[in-house]
Amino acid sequence: MKTSNRNAKRILWAVLVLFQYGILHGQSTFSIYGQIMDEQDQPVSYANIVLYNRADSSFISGTISDQEGIFKVSPANQGHFYIAVSFVGFESIVKEVIFQTQTSFDLGTIRLTEERIELAEAMVTAERIKAKEEVDRTTFFVNSQMIKASVTSMDLIQLIPGIQVDLFRNISLEGKSNVLILVNGMERSAEFLSQLDPQRIDKVEINNHPGAEFRTDASGVINIILKEGNNRGVSGHVYSEIPVKLNEVYAFPAANINLTLKKINLFASYDGELSYFDIEEINNKSITASGQETRISKTGFKQQEYWSHKIHYGIDYHLNQKNQLSLYGYVNPWSQEFDGVIELEESESDSILNSREGKQDDTNRSRMVYGTVYYKHLFRRPGTHLSLDLNYYKYRGQTTRLFTEENGASYLNSSLPLQEAVSARLDIRVPLGENLVIQAGARQMRQEMSDAEWTSFHFRELVSAAYTTLTFAGEKIQLNAGLRMEHAAMNLETRSSIATLLPHMSAKIDFTDNRNLRLTYRKTIERPTIYQLNPNINGIDPYTSFQGNPGLTPAIHHELSLDYSVLVKNNYLSLGAFFTQSVDCMEYLATVSEDLHIRYIMQNLGNTDKLGLKFLGSAKLHKNVSFNPFIKVYGVFTLGNELAAENGIENHNRMALESGFSLSVLFKHDFSLNAMFKYNSPTTRIQGSYFEDMLYFVSLEKTFKDRFTVGITSALPFSREFTFRGYETRGSGFSEYSEDNIQLSLIPVWLKFKYSFSSGKNVDGIKRTDDFTENTKKKGLFQ
């Protein structure tokens, strides 16, 4: 049997070698290659390249550039040629190629310049197309109107279809919350966008179904590509928001500075978050035991205090044109507390059994530290590179909640979570031919989680992964297929482990230059976070508690989507159908005890399917008016497992809606008006549902000489109240309804100021993808 296995492996290796040899050597003997770049040294993907015979201008060969702007054409013979390069929004270029003695000809870098139209005394840059569909992403190009309508990069991305931002700056992509944020391929937190100047952004790449090269916990990827030059200099900006009322503090101050020397780029930045609101909490429970209904009501009047200060620092060192080294890190202390008065009432029929009042006092001091070292080597062959990434992450929290009643009785909950992780990643990319690219890599991460207040909880995990992807870019058809294998060993002393194969496939057909169809499938695995694993009991009040579960099984997700996109007179429209299935969903299971206490314990509760339609677009209603709608309508079907059935949880079949839009209007004298709207129907879970109110913002800005901006923002005018968190749960013998409402003035407003400075442009940053994400919870204390 062993001999048979060895022979099978040898045959498989022989087939793979022959297949690769055929791809590498089955091409034409002669080749002409190069790379297409724009004025900001960014690659121009899918530019048209046509090779003509110089003698009679007859067509010989044609191709398009790949995602890094690299192209290759293969004439049958040597000779004298013309090569033409063109792309929408850029001036076309024609070069003469004398190809006589050598077998290959390197054209080097071909730089395209933006098309300009001269009108009398004015020079107007042609408007860039709204978006371009690729096999694994959609690229939205940033134009001058978007920049003028944005004070920060967080403002700018809200002008991208499908991107939604809630009141606390949490970013979602087509309704999916666990979004990976990249800047030039480098992973950054959402807070990083607050200090990033929107004038530096060239385009935004959206990947709704990340491939095998990305971490499996990423439900989507937003990659912001910057436009940078090669000159030395200093640049930066300072941004501040000022509240009008002390109980309506909603500020995101930021500052950054960038110093570029000959081969070194030094940078440092700060982004803060300050949120102080008055909160009204309403919670009603109904518990039935032995035919008797007991009602428990809670009303809380609290002050929410949330602050976060994140300091970023780093250095990019270009050793030479082939080798680059980058160091980056941040330190982030933060805290969120809810302090105030709580009123509790317990009743049966018309009789009040118990009524009491108490004080809630929270203490929360948390800190995150992150550091990374990144190295990249470019090989002589265009498009071939190798990268190595080392990461370190540490989170330490200290949270307490003290509830003190009028009679002196008190209840104390405390948690001291600690998470520490190290990871290493190796990636390599190799073009196999004119239209074929292979990418492969390996990654290993080791992490430990514990809680000093619950000494029996000490979770260890070692995750090893390897992946490979193959991309084909033809004239009308593009294919991307990948496979990722992950092996996770948990609690190493017990040697429990899980091995998972995670395939990914995407295919795109171009019917014309402006119409295409894309089909995508991916399988991912969702591993539990420290909050889902930590068994420490966190009491919300004397009647309610939440608890993690170290015995959770990772959830598996299947995603299938079909999207049709069209570009009509520079307006981008996309209509799609989708199906998702989540297996072994990790959700809270609520049960009630004899002492009328409802306990929420994290469990694997079953499966959830979603089937529906979606529409998004970017339309120009007027030369100065841009409108970006998004809508998603689907059915939700839940199927509980045996544990859910044992606890009386019924299956659900419900409709859901997710919607939103952004609107920007430019006026004379550098004034801009922006509006944002978001509404999602309640989110259906296997047990219960979660909800929040619709959200809308209106802002007005004025810019002076492209350096100084002043503005005013209003959130939820005339609403008076905003439910930012609510849930409804039903179980065997009980039900619970809860909502937390922010109390607002009639027209809450905030002032904002920004000043930008620059004495030169920065060299290109290193394009990379980090390998670890913050999985800590910063928008809630115990929930």
Side-chain angles (χ1 to χ4, degrees):
M1 187 67 179
K2 291 182 179 179
T3 303
S4 177
N5 289 337
R6 284 196 298 267
N7 291 335
K9 291 180 179 178
R10 291 171 181 170
I11 293 173
L12 178 60
W13 277 111
V15 171
L16 291 174
V17 170
L18 289 173
F19 175 74
Q20 185 178 26
Y21 181 86
I23 293 176
L24 290 171
H25 298 280
Q27 310 292 330
S28 172
T29 306
F30 307 106
S31 63
I32 301 171
Y33 58 89
Q35 185 176 27
I36 313 299
M37 306 286 283
D38 63 15
E39 294 172 291
Q40 285 77 39
D41 281 338
Q42 296 296 330
V44 179
S45 305
Y46 301 104
N48 296 308
I49 296 96
V50 180
L51 189 67
Y52 299 96
N53 191 314
R54 182 181 182 274
D56 56 7
S57 298
S58 60
F59 173 82
I60 295 178
S61 179
T63 186
I64 57 176
S65 58
D66 65 13
Q67 295 172 2
E68 294 196 2
I70 296 170
F71 70 90
K72 177 183 174 183
V73 291
S74 301
N77 302 294
Q78 297 167 325
H80 205 164
F81 308 102
Y82 285 127
I83 191 165
V85 181
S86 63
F87 189 69
V88 177
F90 292 88
E91 295 182 358
S92 299
I93 290 180
V94 177
K95 285 183 172 291
E96 186 177 11
V97 180
I98 302 175
F99 191 26
Q100 295 178 339
T101 58
Q102 65 270 49
T103 58
S104 63
F105 192 93
D106 184 3
L107 288 172
T109 300
I110 300 176
R111 202 171 305 278
L112 298 182
T113 58
E114 286 190 346
E115 185 178 2
R116 291 177 171 83
I117 306 168
E118 293 189 27
L119 298 175
E121 298 179 355
M123 177 88 61
V124 181
T125 300
E127 183 183 5
R128 306 177 74 182
I129 61 173
K130 293 287 184 182
K132 184 173 181 64
E133 289 281 356
E134 301 175 34
V135 66
D136 59 347
R137 75 196 71 180
T138 302
T139 301
F140 293 91
F141 297 91
V142 175
N143 54 38
S144 59
Q145 178 173 343
M146 297 172 67
I147 294 175
K148 290 179 180 179
S150 305
V151 180
T152 70
S153 295
M154 188 68 76
D155 299 329
L156 189 144
I157 67 168
Q158 295 183 66
L159 302 177
I160 303 297
I163 296 180
Q164 295 178 310
V165 180
D166 68 13
L167 186 65
F168 298 104
R169 297 289 181 102
N170 295 307
I171 299 174
S172 60
L173 181 59
E174 294 190 4
K176 297 179 287 188
S177 58
N178 196 12
V179 180
L180 186 64
I181 306 295
L182 306 179
V183 177
N184 273 359
M186 297 179 286
E187 183 176 337
R188 296 290 184 259
S189 62
E191 296 91 342
F192 185 84
L193 300 183
S194 297
Q195 60 78 49
L196 183 62
D197 194 328
Q199 296 188 26
R200 296 178 58 192
I201 299 179
D202 181 55
K203 54 190 175 183
V204 179
E205 298 176 345
I206 302 297
N207 189 338
N208 290 306
H209 306 281
E213 67 270 27
F214 293 100
R215 293 196 319 265
T216 58
D217 61 340
S219 59
V221 176
I222 300 174
N223 186 20
I224 296 174
I225 304 299
L226 304 182
K227 47 184 179 184
E228 299 192 14
N230 295 311
N231 300 325
R232 307 178 192 179
V234 178
S235 63
H237 78 273
V238 178
Y239 174 73
S240 177
E241 293 177 315
I242 301 176
V244 176
K245 299 183 64 177
L246 294 180
N247 64 341
E248 291 179 345
V249 176
Y250 183 69
F252 300 87
N256 77 337
I257 186 170
N258 224 308
L259 171 63
T260 302
L261 303 175
K262 186 175 181 180
K263 292 185 177 181
I264 298 178
N265 182 38
L266 301 170
F267 58 92
S269 64
Y270 162 80
D271 61 81
E273 296 183 42
L274 303 172
S275 175
Y276 297 83
F277 288 106
D278 291 335
I279 306 292
E280 180 187 28
E281 179 186 7
I282 299 174
N283 183 284
N284 296 305
K285 300 178 178 68
S286 175
I287 302 172
T288 302
S290 302
Q292 180 65 50
E293 180 188 17
T294 302
R295 296 185 300 275
I296 302 171
S297 63
K298 178 176 72 170
T299 305
F301 304 93
K302 307 174 184 178
Q303 291 76 45
Q304 181 233 22
E305 299 180 2
Y306 171 68
W307 56 262
S308 170
H309 305 289
K310 180 175 284 189
I311 300 174
H312 311 258
Y313 50 88
I315 178 173
D316 294 337
Y317 178 41
H318 296 248
L319 288 79
N320 50 49
Q321 293 183 347
K322 300 294 184 181
N323 296 280
Q324 304 169 343
L325 181 67
S326 175
L327 288 84
Y328 166 75
Y330 67 73
V331 178
N332 180 204
W334 61 272
S335 171
Q336 175 154 267
E337 302 174 358
F338 293 89
D339 299 326
V341 176
I342 294 178
E343 299 174 355
L344 295 167
E345 183 178 279
E346 183 179 333
S347 63
E348 290 181 358
S349 300
D350 296 328
S351 303
I352 298 177
L353 303 179
N354 187 4
S355 179
R356 47 185 168 164
E357 182 177 309
K359 180 181 179 182
Q360 177 177 310
D361 185 13
D362 290 348
T363 301
N364 182 10
R365 296 293 181 269
S366 300
R367 185 178 64 181
M368 292 182 293
V369 178
Y370 176 77
T372 179
V373 178
Y374 176 79
Y375 169 73
K376 184 174 183 178
H377 175 73
L378 306 178
F379 292 92
R380 180 176 300 178
R381 183 177 184 181
T384 305
H385 59 75
L386 177 145
S387 62
L388 175 65
D389 202 354
L390 305 175
N391 299 274
Y392 171 78
Y393 173 83
K394 184 176 183 180
Y395 160 69
R396 182 184 296 275
Q398 180 181 359
T399 61
T400 60
R401 171 163 290 176
L402 177 64
F403 181 76
T404 306
E405 297 187 22
E406 291 178 312
N407 59 10
S410 62
Y411 308 88
L412 176 66
N413 291 279
S414 180
S415 180
L416 297 171
L418 174 65
Q419 180 180 9
E420 198 166 10
V422 293
S423 67
R425 175 171 175 161
L426 179 68
D427 296 278
I428 187 168
R429 181 185 187 276
V430 180
L432 297 181
E434 183 177 340
N435 301 319
L436 200 62
V437 174
I438 188 171
Q439 186 172 344
R443 173 239 193 187
Q444 188 172 82
M445 182 189 71
R446 181 183 182 119
Q447 66 173 337
E448 296 189 16
M449 308 179 194
S450 62
D451 191 325
E453 293 288 346
W454 197 275
T455 56
S456 62
F457 173 57
H458 193 178
F459 183 86
R460 300 177 182 175
E461 184 180 43
L462 178 65
V463 179
S464 302
Y467 79 90
T468 183
T469 64
L470 197 64
T471 303
F472 169 78
E475 184 177 354
K476 294 293 184 181
I477 298 177
Q478 300 171 33
L479 302 173
N480 176 270
L483 181 65
R484 186 182 185 95
M485 184 182 72
E486 288 198 357
H487 179 271
M490 290 83 67
N491 294 324
L492 303 181
E493 61 275 4
T494 63
R495 298 184 180 276
S496 60
S497 63
I498 299 176
T500 313
L501 288 177
L502 305 169
H504 174 274
M505 184 278 295
S506 182
K508 184 172 80 77
I509 301 176
D510 294 324
F511 300 113
T512 67
D513 290 341
N514 299 327
R515 296 186 299 114
N516 64 79
L517 187 70
R518 180 169 59 187
L519 176 67
T520 304
Y521 167 77
R522 73 187 291 239
K523 176 184 176 183
T524 64
I525 183 170
E526 178 189 359
R527 304 188 188 281
T529 67
I530 185 173
Y531 286 94
Q532 295 171 317
L533 293 168
N534 191 351
N536 193 353
I537 299 174
N538 295 313
I540 302 303
D541 56 53
Y543 295 96
T544 314
S545 64
F546 286 77
Q547 185 177 13
N549 178 7
L552 287 174
T553 299
I556 298 294
H557 304 284
H558 301 271
E559 301 177 11
L560 180 66
S561 71
L562 182 66
D563 299 280
Y564 175 77
S565 301
V566 59
L567 194 66
V568 181
K569 294 183 179 180
N570 214 21
N571 297 311
Y572 171 77
L573 305 173
S574 178
L575 178 65
F578 67 93
F579 171 76
T580 64
Q581 182 180 67
S582 300
V583 181
D584 289 331
C585 296
M586 297 178 288
E587 300 180 9
Y588 279 113
L589 171 65
T591 59
V592 62
S593 61
E594 295 181 357
D595 60 354
L596 306 182
H597 190 100
I598 296 181
R599 290 182 172 85
Y600 287 82
I601 302 177
M602 188 63 64
Q603 300 283 3
N604 295 104
L605 286 183
N607 303 346
T608 300
D609 295 345
K610 296 180 181 179
L611 176 65
L613 300 173
K614 61 180 179 179
F615 169 79
L616 58 87
S618 181
K620 199 152 190 179
L621 306 182
H622 181 267
K623 65 179 181 178
N624 291 328
V625 181
S626 178
F627 180 65
N628 306 288
F630 164 72
I631 187 169
K632 194 175 182 180
V633 182
Y634 56 95
V636 182
F637 312 92
T638 65
L639 179 62
N641 56 19
E642 293 184 7
L643 178 61
E646 291 172 0
N647 287 274
I649 298 176
E650 298 180 352
N651 297 328
H652 303 296
N653 181 355
R654 297 172 180 169
M655 294 300 297
L657 169 69
E658 297 175 11
S659 62
F661 71 80
S662 63
L663 176 72
S664 68
V665 183
L666 296 183
F667 300 98
K668 294 181 179 180
H669 309 299
D670 292 326
F671 280 95
S672 65
L673 176 69
N674 298 287
M676 186 278 289
F677 172 84
K678 174 188 175 184
Y679 172 74
N680 295 338
S681 62
T683 302
T684 300
R685 300 291 177 88
I686 293 176
Q687 183 184 31
S689 61
Y690 294 80
F691 58 90
E692 63 181 27
D693 279 346
M694 66 178 179
L695 177 66
Y696 51 96
F697 287 87
V698 179
S699 64
L700 179 67
E701 289 94 23
K702 161 67 176 174
T703 302
F704 301 89
K705 296 183 179 180
D706 293 328
R707 285 188 176 271
F708 186 61
T709 302
V710 297
I712 184 171
T713 299
S714 179
L716 303 159
F718 309 109
S719 65
R720 290 286 191 178
E721 188 175 80
F722 173 70
T723 301
F724 72 94
R725 179 176 60 196
Y727 65 90
E728 186 172 8
T729 304
R730 294 183 179 274
S732 180
F734 77 94
S735 64
E736 181 177 11
Y737 177 90
S738 178
E739 61 180 48
D740 293 329
N741 303 313
I742 295 177
Q743 305 301 299
L744 298 169
S745 58
L746 182 63
I747 304 179
V749 295
W750 298 273
L751 305 177
K752 51 187 175 183
F753 303 88
K754 176 187 172 185
Y755 175 72
S756 301
F757 59 91
S758 174
S759 64
K761 295 182 179 180
N762 302 319
V763 297
D764 289 339
I766 297 175
K767 296 181 180 180
R768 56 181 295 276
T769 301
D770 287 349
D771 201 49
F772 196 81
T773 185
E774 302 173 3
N775 62 4
T776 55
K777 187 184 304 181
K778 298 178 62 175
K779 304 303 183 187
L781 187 60
F782 291 112
Q783 299 183 52

